[in-house]
Amino acid sequence: SQQGEEDPQALSIQEGENATMNCSYKTSINNLQWYRQNSGRGLVHLILIRSNEREKHSGRLRVTLDTSKKSSSLLITASRAADTASYFCATAQATGANNLFFGTGTRLTVIP
Amino acid sequence: NAGVTQTPKFQVLKTGQSMTLQCAQDMNHNSMYWYRQDPGMGLRLIYYSASEGTTDKGEVPNGYNVSRLNKREFSLRLESAAPSQTSVYFCASRGWAEETQYFGPGTRLLVL
């Protein structure tokens, strides 16, 4: 399987704390994307980082990418109860069709 | 714009029955995708259509067929449903030269 792995599988934090989730993948990539899924809903794109980038910010989100270790991390700062959701990384491979391969997800619960 | 729409939202089938899941997008996107999501597995690609008139197998195509009816619509057919096809099915689309995908709300399928 070309699926990535995410760590941890589940994370529970207090409102205001930072949440960090990690993603590892297996092949060379063009870019890595993070998506969010609220319970019972479809996925929504959050942020994209290209293979030649090391860090990217968007609002309270910070993404890092280490292509030598084939890993990425997503940091959500000053978390809110509304951030409760599942978060998935997805990689677009460097060769072949521009399809996405999704990780197994991290379930984040932010306690008010 | 409605984005990506899927019908039905929920379906119960008996083993051996057939059904078609419908997907439509109003964003004039070239590429469309069908995924299934199972607990602990993330999303896995079933079939995709890079452009109108073309379809290709993804990671888990067995037991499914697809039709790219026109640029807007991409349907997924189960000819003879099996309990292993119990899952949540997501349709997604992507514009030409875009890198992110836009997801529908999903169809929950239960095969008894």
Side-chain angles (χ1 to χ4, degrees), chain A residues 53-99:
Chain A
E53 297 176 312
R54 292 297 167 257
E55 187 171 314
K56 202 161 185 180
H57 297 254
S58 176
R60 293 185 295 113
L61 304 180
R62 172 178 168 252
V63 173
T64 61
L65 179 65
D66 186 335
T67 53
S68 66
K69 295 181 179 179
K70 291 187 169 57
S71 67
S72 174
S73 66
L74 172 68
L75 169 68
I76 304 174
T77 60
S79 63
R80 305 166 181 169
D83 294 329
T84 294
S86 291
Y87 292 82
F88 294 88
C89 66
T91 54
Q93 292 189 331
T95 58
N98 193 24
N99 295 331

Side-chain angles (χ1 to χ4, degrees), chain A residues 11-19 36-39 60 76-87 107-112:
Chain A
L11 179 61
S12 183
I13 59 174
Q14 296 288 331
E15 202 166 31
E17 294 181 336
N18 296 341
R36 166 191 169 130
Q37 183 181 34
N38 286 80
S39 182
R60 293 185 295 113
I76 304 174
T77 60
S79 63
R80 305 166 181 169
D83 294 329
T84 294
S86 291
Y87 292 82
R107 174 70 189 170
L108 173 65
T109 301
V110 181
I111 302 166

